Amino acid sequence: MKYTQLTSADFAWVKMSEKQILSFPVSANKSIQNKLNKIKSLKKEERTFENTVKAYEIANDEESSVFHQITLLGMVSDKKNIRDAARKAEVEFSKYAVDIAYDEDIYKALKEYHSFNYKKEKKNLDDQDIKLLSDIMLGFKRLGFDLPEKSREKLKKIDKACSELGNEYDARISENTDHILCTMDELDGVPEMIINSFEKVGDKYKVTLQYPEYGPFMRYAKNRKKREELYKLFNNTGGTKNVAILKQLAKLRAQRATLLGYDNHAAFKLEVRMAKNEANVYKMKYDLVNSLKTKVAKDYQVIKSEANKLGYKELRTHDTAFITNIIRERDYALDEQKVREYFELNNVMSFMFGYFGELFGFEILESSTKLWHKDAKLFELKDKKSKQIISYMAVDLHPREGKYGHACMMPMIEGQQLGKDSYSSPFAVLICNFPKSTKAVPSLLNIGEVETLFHEFGHGLHALLTEAKYTTHAGTNVVWDFVEMPSQIMEQWVVEEDVLKKMTKHYKTGNTMPSEMIKQIISTNNLFQSIFYTRQSVQGLLDMDIYTGKAADPVKHFHKLMSEYLIPESKGVLFVSRFSHIIGGYDAGYYSYLWAERLSHDAFSIFKRDGLNNKKVGAKYRKEILAAGSSRDEKKSIEAFLGRKISNKAFLSRLK
C-alpha cells in the first residue's frame, strides 16, 4: 500500500485569514450539496456500492479536512480575531451539517440501493463494505428517517439548537480569563520554580485557571483562603449561564430521545456502545463505588487527621490536593519538585517516541515545516517495515492566552483507502498545556503530566496507525466506551520500574532517577486512588442521572452525590459550569473512561505477562487494536488481542 505524502504546501492553511474562515461554511455546503446531488440523480437500476454508498461516505472528505483546520485554529491560534472567526464558522457549518444529515432524498437514494441492488452486489463486497452500509442505515434510523416529516423537522431544530448551545458553553470556558492575585506571603509553600512561571502584576503574582498554574497552586499553597478562592473560580468557570445551558441541553436531548422512541437520552446514546444500556452502566458504577466505600473512608480518615493537625475544623474539597501532597512528601519522601527534575519534556518525548516506535514498528522524524505557532512542531511517522512515511503528528504543548486549556488529540486527516493500492496518510494534533521553559529551567513535568503526554500520544497512535478501509471506521472513530482504551493503556508504562529507569534523566546532571525515588513513585501510584475512582464514578453518575431525567437541578444533584460518596462540596461551587465533557461527546458517556480503563488494564496484563517491550505483542496490539479501528466490532478486536474473553481481574486487583 502506497501512502500519500504531505508537503509544506499542505500546511498553508495555518495562515488562513479571517475572511477565508468566515467564507468557508457557505462554500463548503455548496460543494457537498453538488456531490450529494450527483448521488441523488442516479436512477434506481444504476445504483452500485461505489456510486452510492462509497460516494456518500467520501462526499465531505475535503470539506471535513478544512473544517478540522478551522476548528483547530479556534483552539490554538494566538490571534483572538481568528479564534472568534473559527468559532463562528463552526456554528454556521454545524447548521449546514444538520441540513445535510437530514437530507431525505439522500436517505431515499441509499435506501434504494439497500432495498434493490445490495443483494446483487453483496457477494462482491468485503466485511468492511457491509459494515459501512449497515452503520449508515442505522445512522439514518437514529436520525429519525422512519418518523413522520413533522417529527424530523423537530429533530433538525433540536440538533441545531444543541450545536449552538454547546459552542456557547465551550466558548465561555475557553475565553474565561479569571485569576487571583497573590502577594509573595500568600504564595508561601509554592516552589520558586512555579512562582517564576507566574506573571507579575505590580508587586503581586497572577495565578490563572490554566492547569500548569492551577494544579501546583492547589497542591502547594499554604494559604487556605487563596486556595478556596482559586478553586471556586476554577470550578465556576462557566458561571450560572453555563448551568442554564446544561439544563436546556438536557431538556432538548430528552425531547429528541422521546421523538425517536427511546426512554431517555442515555438509552439513545448507549444503544450503539459496548455498554448497550443504562442498567449495565449503573451496575458498573455502583459496584465500583460500593466496593471502594471502606477504602474511601480509611483514606479520608488519614486526610482528615492531617487536616486537624493544621487546625481545620472540617475538610473541604479545596484542601484535599494540598493535604494529600503533604502526606505524599512526608510519609513517602516523594517531593514532586525533585521528581520533576528527572522529567524534562524534550527528553520524555524523545524516550516515548523511541520506546513505542520500537514496540509498534515505526520511527518518528521531526519536520522543519512551520505551523500555527512557534511552540507547535510537526513530526513524521515512518513505518519500519515498508520504510514509508505513513502519517503525520503535530504537537502544541504549552499554554497561552486563548488556547484550549485542557489536553486532547485532534484528528485532522483521517485514514482511508483511496484506491486498490493507495492510502491516505493520517494527520493528528496533540494539544497539551505543560509548563513553559524559563531562562532558569527547561519545561519539567510531574508524573501526572507525563501520564497525560503518554495518554494523548495513545490517542494519536490510534489515529495514526489505522489501516481501516473507510474514514468512518478509522482510528478513534470507535464506539465511545472503547475510545479511551488505547490512550489509558499507555499511562501504565509510566509507572513501571524498567521504563522509569530508561526514561528519566536529571535536567542538570543527566543522571537516571535514583532507584529509591522510582520505588516511591510506584508505591504511591495507587495512593488515595479510592477517592479518585469514586470521584470519577460520581461524575459518571451525575452525567447518567442528568440524561436519564433523575437530576432536574444538576448543581444540587452533584452536591448530593458528593456528600453521599465523598465529602461535601464547598457551597457555591458550580462544577457543572465547566463539566464540558457532558456537553459534547461524553454526554451519557462519562462512564466510558472507567469502562475503557478496565479494558486497558486487561490488555496491559498481556504485556506484563509476555514483556513490556515484547515486539510480537506490540505487533499484535497494533494489528488487532490500533489498525482495526471500528472496521469490526470492538469487542472482537479486544478479544482477538487478548486471545480470550474480557476480564475485570487486572483492573480490580490494583484497587485492593
Side-chain angles (χ1 to χ4, degrees):
M1 192 73 70
K2 187 177 181 180
Y3 284 76
T4 57
Q5 304 295 292
L6 301 181
T7 68
S8 57
D10 293 304
F11 294 92
W13 57 267
V14 302
K15 295 183 179 179
M16 202 181 301
S17 69
E18 183 178 349
K19 184 179 179 180
Q20 287 174 306
I21 291 171
L22 293 174
S23 66
F24 165 76
V26 173
S27 62
N29 181 56
K30 185 177 179 180
S31 175
I32 294 170
Q33 292 292 357
N34 287 338
K35 285 176 273 191
L36 295 179
N37 286 338
K38 288 182 181 179
I39 299 172
K40 291 185 282 189
S41 68
L42 295 170
K43 295 177 182 179
K44 181 174 68 176
E45 58 272 15
E46 296 175 324
R47 297 202 178 282
T48 65
F49 183 88
E50 191 76 18
N51 68 24
T52 301
V53 181
K54 187 175 179 182
Y56 176 69
E57 159 73 0
I58 65 174
N60 66 348
D61 278 359
E62 185 179 345
E63 293 75 21
S64 291
S65 180
V66 179
F67 180 69
H68 290 326
Q69 294 164 6
I70 289 172
T71 300
L72 180 70
L73 290 175
M75 298 168 72
V76 301
S77 176
D78 56 359
K79 298 179 177 64
K80 189 175 186 303
N81 67 312
I82 295 297
R83 297 197 302 272
D84 290 343
R87 292 188 184 112
K88 186 175 180 181
E90 283 182 67
V91 172
E92 291 303 309
F93 185 68
S94 295
K95 292 177 184 176
Y96 289 126
V98 172
D99 289 331
I100 291 167
Y102 281 99
D103 188 329
E104 187 171 5
D105 289 333
I106 199 70
Y107 166 64
K108 288 178 179 177
L110 284 149
K111 192 174 182 181
E112 270 186 356
Y113 172 78
H114 188 263
S115 301
F116 301 107
N117 300 50
Y118 173 51
K119 286 183 180 179
K120 299 175 188 176
E121 286 195 306
K122 189 174 181 180
K123 62 183 178 181
N124 298 319
L125 302 177
D126 63 26
D127 290 344
Q128 292 193 56
D129 298 332
I130 293 168
K131 188 174 188 297
L132 176 66
L133 178 60
S134 175
D135 290 347
I136 288 172
M137 298 313 294
L138 177 60
F140 277 119
K141 178 180 178 292
R142 287 168 59 80
L143 285 171
F145 277 90
D146 293 339
L147 299 177
E149 186 177 348
K150 284 187 177 180
S151 295
R152 293 202 305 274
E153 286 300 316
K154 285 183 181 178
L155 288 176
K156 283 175 67 175
K157 289 180 181 177
I158 289 172
D159 282 352
K160 285 185 177 181
C162 287
S163 177
E164 291 172 8
L165 287 168
N167 282 317
E168 183 182 349
Y169 183 103
D170 287 340
R172 289 181 61 81
I173 295 173
S174 61
E175 294 298 332
N176 186 298
T177 58
D178 285 347
H179 58 273
I180 62 171
L181 294 175
C182 299
T183 64
M184 196 62 182
D185 287 344
E186 290 170 334
L187 291 174
D188 186 25
V190 179
E192 184 180 358
M193 184 188 304
I194 301 298
I195 294 174
N196 290 338
S197 70
F198 297 153
E199 180 185 341
K200 201 163 185 188
V201 181
D203 60 350
K204 293 187 176 182
Y205 292 84
K206 179 180 177 181
V207 186
T208 72
L209 307 185
Q210 296 283 354
Y211 281 102
E213 296 184 14
Y214 172 80
F217 187 89
M218 295 303 296
R219 281 193 296 276
Y220 292 110
K222 294 180 180 179
N223 191 302
R224 196 183 189 199
K225 285 187 177 180
K226 282 296 180 180
R227 287 203 313 270
E228 181 178 14
E229 183 184 354
L230 186 65
Y231 179 84
K232 286 187 174 180
L233 280 179
F234 182 80
N235 283 282
N236 292 12
T237 305
T240 55
K241 179 64 177 176
N242 269 11
V243 175
I245 288 174
L246 173 59
K247 289 180 180 179
Q248 198 173 349
L249 270 172
K251 286 180 181 178
L252 287 170
R253 286 168 170 167
Q255 291 171 18
R256 190 181 194 285
T258 300
L259 281 169
L260 288 167
Y262 296 87
D263 290 339
N264 50 58
H265 181 63
F268 167 72
K269 297 289 281 193
L270 294 170
E271 177 188 34
V272 291
R273 292 178 177 172
M274 288 184 77
K276 300 303 181 188
N277 57 61
E278 61 194 78
N280 288 334
V281 174
Y282 277 120
K283 183 179 186 308
M284 181 197 76
K285 290 291 184 184
Y286 284 118
D287 282 353
L288 186 57
V289 294
N290 289 330
S291 69
L292 290 176
K293 266 187 175 179
T294 302
K295 186 70 167 63
V296 167
K298 288 180 179 178
D299 282 348
Y300 266 131
Q301 192 54 48
V302 173
I303 298 170
K304 286 176 181 177
S305 176
E306 192 66 34
N308 291 337
K309 292 177 185 177
L310 294 170
Y312 301 169
K313 292 182 179 179
E314 59 180 346
L315 180 69
R316 308 304 302 178
T317 45
H318 55 266
D319 298 322
T320 53
F322 176 67
I323 294 175
T324 55
N325 189 63
I326 289 175
I327 295 169
R328 183 177 284 106
E329 290 188 352
R330 184 192 64 212
D331 296 351
Y332 295 86
L334 193 62
D335 183 336
E336 183 186 295
Q337 295 312 306
K338 293 291 184 185
V339 170
R340 279 184 183 272
E341 293 176 2
Y342 290 91
F343 289 114
E344 191 273 317
L345 175 58
N346 290 326
N347 180 62
V348 171
M349 284 185 63
S350 179
F351 169 82
M352 181 178 73
F353 289 169
Y355 187 91
F356 291 107
E358 285 294 316
L359 183 59
F360 299 134
F362 62 82
E363 62 178 314
I364 295 184
L365 311 169
E366 186 170 351
S367 168
S368 60
T369 300
K370 301 295 182 184
L371 298 177
W372 52 88
H373 190 273
K374 61 181 178 63
D375 287 346
K377 297 178 180 179
L378 181 69
F379 296 90
E380 302 167 342
L381 270 71
K382 184 177 182 180
D383 183 68
K384 288 191 173 181
K385 189 175 181 180
S386 69
K387 307 299 182 185
Q388 288 188 82
I389 302 297
I390 59 170
S391 54
Y392 299 81
M393 178 183 70
V395 299
D396 189 346
L397 304 180
H398 301 296
R400 55 184 175 270
E401 189 171 333
K403 182 189 166 188
Y404 178 75
H406 299 278
C408 72
M409 185 285 298
M410 187 173 175
M412 301 293 290
I413 299 173
E414 298 180 279
Q416 64 174 314
Q417 192 170 320
L418 300 175
K420 187 177 179 181
D421 299 310
S422 179
Y423 200 83
S424 174
S425 293
F427 168 42
V429 178
L430 307 190
I431 301 174
C432 296
N433 285 280
F434 301 133
K436 279 191 171 185
S437 297
T438 67
K439 291 180 179 179
V441 293
S443 177
L444 302 176
L445 309 182
N446 63 30
I447 195 71
E449 288 164 337
V450 176
E451 289 176 343
T452 295
L453 180 60
F454 275 55
H455 179 104
E456 298 307 336
F457 188 54
H459 279 310
L461 292 182
H462 200 185
L464 299 173
L465 297 179
T466 186
E467 294 176 11
K469 189 174 183 179
Y470 298 108
T471 295
T472 295
H473 301 147
T476 56
N477 292 324
V478 293
V479 291
W480 212 246
D481 42 9
F482 187 77
V483 74
E484 294 295 332
M485 181 266 161
S487 56
Q488 289 174 331
I489 191 174
M490 300 288 280
E491 297 179 36
Q492 296 172 57
W493 270 278
V494 174
V495 287
E496 289 291 327
E497 184 173 0
D498 182 60
V499 174
L500 285 168
K501 283 180 179 177
K502 293 174 181 176
M503 173 168 49
T504 55
K505 186 167 70 173
H506 195 279
Y507 79 100
K508 284 183 178 178
T509 66
N511 293 336
T512 300
M513 181 180 282
S515 295
E516 188 60 34
M517 186 178 284
I518 288 175
K519 289 175 182 176
Q520 289 162 351
I521 288 174
I522 295 170
S523 67
T524 60
N525 184 43
N526 289 329
L527 188 63
F528 303 122
Q529 284 293 288
S530 67
I531 295 173
F532 170 79
Y533 282 113
T534 300
R535 171 82 185 209
Q536 285 285 97
S537 295
V538 162
Q539 291 174 195
L541 287 169
L542 173 66
D543 170 40
M544 289 301 294
D545 288 346
I546 288 171
Y547 289 117
T548 53
K550 299 183 182 73
D553 187 328
V555 175
K556 286 184 179 179
H557 199 73
F558 175 66
H559 281 256
K560 176 178 175 291
L561 289 169
M562 285 291 290
S563 295
E564 186 173 354
Y565 293 107
L566 293 164
I567 58 173
E569 182 56 276
S570 300
K571 290 180 180 179
V573 167
L574 308 175
F575 167 71
V576 295
S577 78
R578 67 167 292 114
F579 196 13
S580 56
H581 290 79
I582 67 170
I583 298 301
Y586 284 91
D587 44 303
Y590 196 77
Y591 79 92
S592 59
Y593 281 103
L594 288 181
W595 186 280
E597 186 161 355
R598 295 184 307 164
L599 300 178
S600 74
H601 282 278
D602 202 14
F604 190 68
S605 70
I606 305 301
F607 285 98
K608 288 279 284 185
R609 183 192 70 194
D610 297 340
L612 294 176
N613 57 354
N614 187 309
K615 292 182 182 180
K616 286 185 178 180
V617 179
K620 188 178 183 183
Y621 178 80
R622 175 176 170 176
K623 176 187 175 184
E624 304 294 357
I625 303 294
L626 301 178
S630 63
S631 59
R632 63 182 175 190
D633 184 273
E634 288 80 358
K635 185 179 179 183
K636 289 182 179 179
S637 291
I638 185 71
E639 291 185 344
F641 172 69
L642 294 170
R644 55 168 170 74
K645 290 187 176 181
I646 296 166
S647 168
N648 294 332
K649 184 179 178 181
F651 177 68
L652 294 176
S653 65
R654 70 185 294 267
L655 300 180
K656 291 179 180 178

